[in-house]
């Protein structure tokens, strides 16, 4: 079966895996704080932005932050970096892997694992359009006549986008976020294997925290909402199991901007999925408290919080690159 083939290839990949020095599995405390920033926030003439950022962080931030999340630093075609053209490269306008590697001396690094989709301008997608071996099942082809009205939509854009293959055939592909972001087909063993390779590449390059971008939409099943499906949780459990073997000090953090009860499902049983989830309900409640000069709603909600194990914790934040979402206030 496809699953069996994927397992054999992943097992072989792990057999060859030679991790660098590993720390003990991370236990978070209130002293942990992570700076979220784009790689080109600070600029200095004649210097790669990542080198400039490192110089600033090393000089001024070591006593304040334990980690740094450089938002997608890969080559990209749209969506502020979240339409990645090459998962294994750094955008040369930002710097090099060596520039990023410098941070490891002073900070834990968080990498974006943009696992739901890839850029329509990527080589992988070009290979798909050419029907090259290993890429034929990369994307999700759907009959445009099928009723997809139940599908949960994070953006008010067309769910399907037509593309023409090199054979001349027109196909309609699943594009959850934009016509430039091709959803990956995780029913393909090839796709799963390629993305495990990406994950291990990031760990090998120093990622201590893996941010799973838009992970809630990972699996598509026509006739369902196509969000939070059981297969999505299965894939997270698989990736967690792989990291527990290859790099047990690496932390998964899931990004699911949804109501609170749906969000905390990504902790799993406390040992088998994400060690951290973004605390998406906090920013709008904090803003509400400031605007109303009344912290009772925030305090009541905060008092209700719990996590399923001492291995899990909330990633508390006040705003992100997406701003402050209000959907997490549902309920």
């Amino acid at each position: 079966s496809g699953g069996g083939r994927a397992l054999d290839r992943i097992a072989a990949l792990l057999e060859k895996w030679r991790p660098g020095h590993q720390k003990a599995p991370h236990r978070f405390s209130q002293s942990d704080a992570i700076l979220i920033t784009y790689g080109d926030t600070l600029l200095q003439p004649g210097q790669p932005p990542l080198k400039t950022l490192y110089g600033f962080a090393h000089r001024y931030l070591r006593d304040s932050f334990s980690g740094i999340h450089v938002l997608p630093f890969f080559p990209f075609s749209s969506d502020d970096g979240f339409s990645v053209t090459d998962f294994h490269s750094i955008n040369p306008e930002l710097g090099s892997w060596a520039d990023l590697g410098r941070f490891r001396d002073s900070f834990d690094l968080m990498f974006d694992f943009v696992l739901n989709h890839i850029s329509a301008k990527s080589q992988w997608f070009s290979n798909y359009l050419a029907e090259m071996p290993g890429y034929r099942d990369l994307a999700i082809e759907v009959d445009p006549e099928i009723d997809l009205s139940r599908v949960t939509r994070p953006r008010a854009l067309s769910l399907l986008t037509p593309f023409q293959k090199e054979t001349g055939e027109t196909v309609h592909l699943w594009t959850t976020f934009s016509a430039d972001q091709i959803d990956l087909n995780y029913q393909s063993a090839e796709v799963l294997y390629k993305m495990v390779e990406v994950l291990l590449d990031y760990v090998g390059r120093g990622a201590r925290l893996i941010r799973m971008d838009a992970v809630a939409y990972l699996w598509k099943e026509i006739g369902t909402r196509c969000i939070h499906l059981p297969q999505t949780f299965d894939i997270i459990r698989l990736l967690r199991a792989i990291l527990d073997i290859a790099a047990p000090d690496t932390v998964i953090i899931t990004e699911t901007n949804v109501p609170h009860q749906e969000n905390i499902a990504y902790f799993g049983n406390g040992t088998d999925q994400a060690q951290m989830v973004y605390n998406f309900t906090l920013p709008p409640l904090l803003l509400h408290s400031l605007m109303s000069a009344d912290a009772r709603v925030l305090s009541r909600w905060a008092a209700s919080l719990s996590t399923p194990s001492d291995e899990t914790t909330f990633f508390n934040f006040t705003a992100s690159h997406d701003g402050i979402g209000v959907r997490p206030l549902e309920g």
Side-chain angles (χ1 to χ4, degrees):
S1 70
R5 287 196 303 275
L7 178 62
D8 290 344
R9 292 184 68 190
I10 290 168
L13 193 64
L14 288 171
E15 283 292 320
K16 293 187 298 182
W17 174 251
R18 294 288 180 268
H21 175 68
Q22 292 183 354
K23 304 175 187 176
H26 200 62
R27 292 290 181 268
F28 295 95
S29 75
Q30 64 272 24
S31 64
D32 283 292
I34 295 174
L35 173 71
I36 306 173
T37 179
Y38 280 101
D40 58 358
T41 297
L42 301 177
L43 301 174
Q44 188 167 316
Q47 192 172 78
L50 284 175
K51 191 172 183 180
T52 303
L53 179 63
Y54 169 76
F56 181 87
H58 186 75
R59 183 172 180 182
Y60 296 111
L61 304 181
R62 280 184 296 168
D63 294 335
S64 304
F65 293 96
S66 58
I68 294 182
H69 171 202
V70 181
L71 285 154
F73 46 73
F74 316 104
F76 71 100
S77 55
S78 64
D79 199 20
D80 294 325
F82 286 94
S83 186
V84 180
T85 58
D86 183 355
F87 291 122
H88 294 283
S89 298
I90 280 194
N91 180 354
E93 294 178 11
L94 295 179
S96 66
W97 284 115
D99 292 323
L100 189 67
R102 288 192 185 94
F103 289 88
R104 294 169 64 181
D105 292 340
S106 307
F107 304 96
D108 289 335
L109 281 171
M110 187 192 296
F111 283 25
D112 285 286
F113 187 29
V114 186
L115 69 171
N116 182 72
H117 47 261
I118 192 167
S119 168
K121 298 174 181 63
S122 64
Q123 187 59 55
W124 283 16
F125 188 58
S126 294
N127 294 347
Y128 160 80
L129 292 176
E131 297 195 334
M132 289 180 59
Y135 295 89
R136 289 179 181 138
D137 297 324
L138 183 82
I140 302 167
E141 300 176 10
V142 182
D143 181 345
E145 300 301 315
I146 285 179
D147 180 8
L148 299 172
S149 59
R150 289 194 64 198
V151 175
T152 300
R153 304 306 319 285
R155 295 185 183 171
L157 298 168
S158 177
L159 183 61
L160 301 181
T161 304
F163 289 91
Q164 191 171 54
K165 292 185 176 180
E166 288 188 12
T167 58
E169 178 191 5
T170 295
V171 288
H172 290 79
L173 304 182
W174 205 293
T175 51
T176 296
F177 289 92
S178 78
D180 187 48
Q181 291 162 289
I182 310 298
D183 284 52
L184 293 167
N185 175 22
Y186 279 88
Q187 295 193 34
S188 162
E190 289 284 353
V191 167
L192 180 61
Y193 178 77
K194 284 178 172 62
M195 296 310 286
V196 170
E197 282 189 312
V198 171
L199 177 66
L200 292 177
D201 186 26
Y202 292 170
V203 172
R205 293 185 183 277
R208 188 84 194 281
L209 298 101
I210 299 289
R211 176 187 178 275
M212 293 190 170
D213 176 66
V215 68
Y217 303 96
L218 205 63
W219 194 273
K220 284 77 178 175
E221 201 74 50
I222 290 170
T224 73
R225 295 172 62 222
C226 296
I227 185 172
H228 313 315
L229 292 185
Q231 296 92 333
T232 293
F233 293 111
D234 286 341
I235 290 173
I236 297 170
R237 278 191 281 267
L238 171 64
L239 297 177
R240 169 68 186 270
I242 288 167
L243 288 177
D244 283 348
I245 295 167
D249 57 325
T250 303
V251 171
I252 290 173
I253 173 168
T254 49
E255 187 250 346
T256 55
N257 195 349
V258 294
H260 185 74
Q261 288 304 317
E262 297 173 29
N263 187 28
I264 61 176
Y266 288 81
F267 280 135
N269 66 17
T271 63
D272 65 342
Q273 291 187 55
Q275 291 97 329
M276 297 180 84
V277 303
Y278 278 80
N279 202 353
F280 273 108
T281 311
L282 176 61
L285 284 183
L286 180 61
L287 183 60
H288 169 264
S289 299
L290 295 171
M291 297 294 289
S292 64
D294 183 345
R296 283 176 294 179
V297 175
L298 172 64
S299 298
R300 198 161 54 241
W301 169 78
S304 74
L305 292 180
S306 65
T307 67
S309 75
D310 62 1
E311 291 182 32
T312 52
T313 191
F314 288 101
F315 185 77
N316 295 317
F317 68 112
T318 53
S320 75
H321 63 281
D322 285 326
I324 294 176
V326 295
R327 235 196 122 219
L329 296 183
E330 286 181 26

